[in-house]
Amino acid sequence: MKAATFSSSLMWFSRKTAAFTAAAVFCVIFSLVMLHQYSESLPQITWRPSYASPSQNGLGIDLDTPVCSEARNIVSEDIWAESRRKYQHLRNDKFTLVISTYKRPDSLNATLTLVLSEYIPTLHEVVVVWNEVNTTAPTDFISEHNVRVRFRVSPRNSLNMKLWADPEIRTQGILLSDDDCHYEPSDMGFIFNYWKEHAQDRIVGAFPRSYTIGEDGQYKYSFARGWDRYSMILTGLAFAHISYLDYYSSDDPLMIDIRDMIDEKFNCEDIALNYMVSMLTCKPPIQVVGLIHPINAGGKHGISTKKGHIGKRHSCVDGFANMMGYMPLKNETFYVHRGRQK
């Protein structure tokens, strides 16, 4: 009787042990899967420790935040208030990738192929700004990961078209990109989540630039190489809130003059957006890069390869400051690099 009881107890214990082991294995596997799936949102951040990080309140575009005091005499506050209000209903858990292209099919195809090759949970749609107004754009399609790719034909070949607040966009977050620039797909979610949680009121992107004051007293464009500060992020690869695109494209007299200057020079729309955002917020942009360094292929036929490009950039940096009546750009020393610690 005792032997039978012991045998029964042993069998019961063995079954319990097997069940516990199976449950433990399941939990470990489930945890690893979830960790892999959501690793893009982990706070892997580095910074220069001697500088303060930006406020991390996750509020994004606050409807009640007043216009930067330095700019109250030049900002159309009613237009800016409406620009902030009208997009609050758009989804904020995903972003739209907006790629500007002009007669560089190889660059565009390479970027689209890379971006669409992997599943990016936070990517809602890709919008290709087709500036070849005399050439038929490709047909819209759905990628294998169920991402819509929409070709938006511009009414004219203008750099301002990239910064137009497209009414068909369904996300607050916009990743602005040129056809020869991109983050690695595995990094896009991390960078979007950083922007969403900490810096919706700023431009967040890969490539920093700055300005100097020349011997003639005029502001000059600078690449900020080897510096510990920057004040602009190129919109060749940068996140921005759609409210900023709306104000940029608005009937505000200053913005109309700035857009006209950009069309005249066929340059500097990226500089203008940085000026405008800092004018509205009194805040600088933030450089954020992923585990893999972002690509700026610098196409052979890009605007930056044209004669007189840097001269136009110098002229814009000084000209925009004159149009605004002061220098709105703010210097930043903070930056984020995924996967590196202090």
Side-chain angles (χ1 to χ4, degrees):
M1 184 68 178
K2 289 183 178 180
T5 301
F6 176 78
S7 177
S8 298
S9 299
L10 182 61
M11 292 177 62
W12 176 87
F13 179 79
S14 298
R15 287 195 296 269
K16 287 291 186 181
T17 302
F20 177 82
T21 302
V25 170
F26 173 81
C27 290
V28 170
I29 294 174
F30 180 79
S31 298
L32 290 173
V33 170
M34 295 301 291
L35 179 62
H36 174 74
Q37 181 176 355
Y38 294 105
S39 61
E40 64 183 14
S41 63
L42 294 178
Q44 304 169 81
I45 297 173
T46 187
W47 59 89
R48 293 186 175 96
S50 59
Y51 303 119
S53 66
S55 173
Q56 299 182 352
N57 54 25
L59 292 177
I61 301 297
D62 191 339
L63 295 177
D64 298 322
T65 300
V67 171
C68 181
S69 59
E70 298 171 333
R72 284 180 180 168
N73 293 329
I74 57 175
V75 172
S76 297
E77 295 199 42
D78 291 344
I79 295 177
W80 175 225
E82 176 64 12
S83 293
R84 287 180 290 178
R85 184 200 63 78
K86 66 197 295 186
Y87 299 104
Q88 293 296 305
H89 68 286
L90 297 184
R91 65 187 306 167
N92 204 21
D93 60 331
K94 294 192 175 187
F95 68 92
T96 299
L97 172 60
V98 175
I99 304 174
S100 181
T101 189
Y102 180 76
K103 292 186 176 181
R104 294 198 296 197
D106 292 342
S107 294
L108 176 62
N109 289 337
T111 296
L112 284 176
T113 298
L114 179 76
V115 169
L116 299 174
S117 65
E118 298 183 24
Y119 174 57
I120 304 173
T122 49
L123 176 59
H124 177 69
E125 181 186 31
V126 177
V127 177
V128 178
V129 182
W130 188 263
N131 290 313
E132 296 181 47
V133 295
N134 296 319
T135 303
T136 302
T139 303
D140 298 352
F141 65 93
I142 304 295
S143 77
E144 63 177 310
H145 298 298
N146 202 35
V147 175
R148 181 189 181 195
V149 179
R150 174 165 58 92
F151 290 84
R152 191 184 80 206
V153 179
S154 299
R156 56 195 175 90
N157 182 21
S158 168
L159 297 175
N160 290 312
M161 292 296 101
K162 177 182 178 180
L163 303 180
W164 180 56
D166 184 343
E168 291 190 39
I169 287 177
R170 293 292 175 262
T171 65
Q172 296 183 43
I174 310 295
L175 176 54
L176 300 165
S177 173
D178 290 340
D179 55 19
D180 57 352
C181 298
H182 59 80
Y183 284 113
E184 284 295 315
S186 58
D187 283 324
M188 285 187 182
F190 170 83
I191 296 161
F192 166 69
N193 284 331
Y194 180 85
W195 171 85
K196 182 183 70 171
E197 296 297 331
H198 306 303
Q200 288 189 43
D201 56 349
R202 305 195 193 198
I203 297 174
V204 168
F207 307 119
R209 296 292 186 267
S210 192
Y211 72 92
T212 60
I213 301 178
E215 294 181 358
D216 57 2
Q218 295 185 341
Y219 294 112
K220 307 291 185 182
Y221 179 74
S222 171
F223 286 89
R225 289 172 180 158
W227 293 12
D228 62 356
R229 61 180 174 83
Y230 59 93
S231 54
M232 293 181 281
I233 292 291
L234 298 184
T235 58
L237 194 58
F239 277 98
H241 197 280
I242 192 171
S243 294
Y244 291 134
L245 275 58
D246 189 84
Y247 190 83
Y248 180 93
S249 305
S250 72
D251 291 331
D252 172 78
L254 174 62
M255 298 316 302
I256 291 174
D257 289 343
I258 286 176
R259 294 197 304 270
D260 287 345
M261 181 175 173
I262 288 165
D263 281 337
E264 177 186 345
K265 294 182 178 295
F266 208 78
N267 206 314
C268 304
E269 83 289 353
D270 50 354
I271 296 175
L273 189 68
N274 279 271
Y275 270 66
M276 188 204 78
V277 172
S278 291
M279 175 188 73
L280 292 170
T281 65
C282 281
K283 294 181 180 181
I286 300 177
Q287 182 189 19
V288 182
V289 295
L291 288 172
I292 301 174
H293 199 276
I295 298 299
N296 183 356
K300 296 180 180 179
H301 305 293
I303 292 173
S304 61
T305 65
K306 305 297 183 183
K307 184 178 180 180
H309 170 69
I310 295 299
K312 289 182 179 180
R313 308 285 275 182
H314 290 325
S315 177
C316 289
V317 167
D318 192 67
F320 293 154
N322 289 332
M323 294 169 73
M324 293 180 175
Y326 77 112
M327 169 51 77
L329 295 179
K330 307 296 181 183
N331 287 323
E332 181 60 275
T333 54
F334 175 88
Y335 67 95
V336 176
H337 193 153
R338 183 185 185 191
R340 294 185 181 179
Q341 305 300 325
K342 279 186 179 181

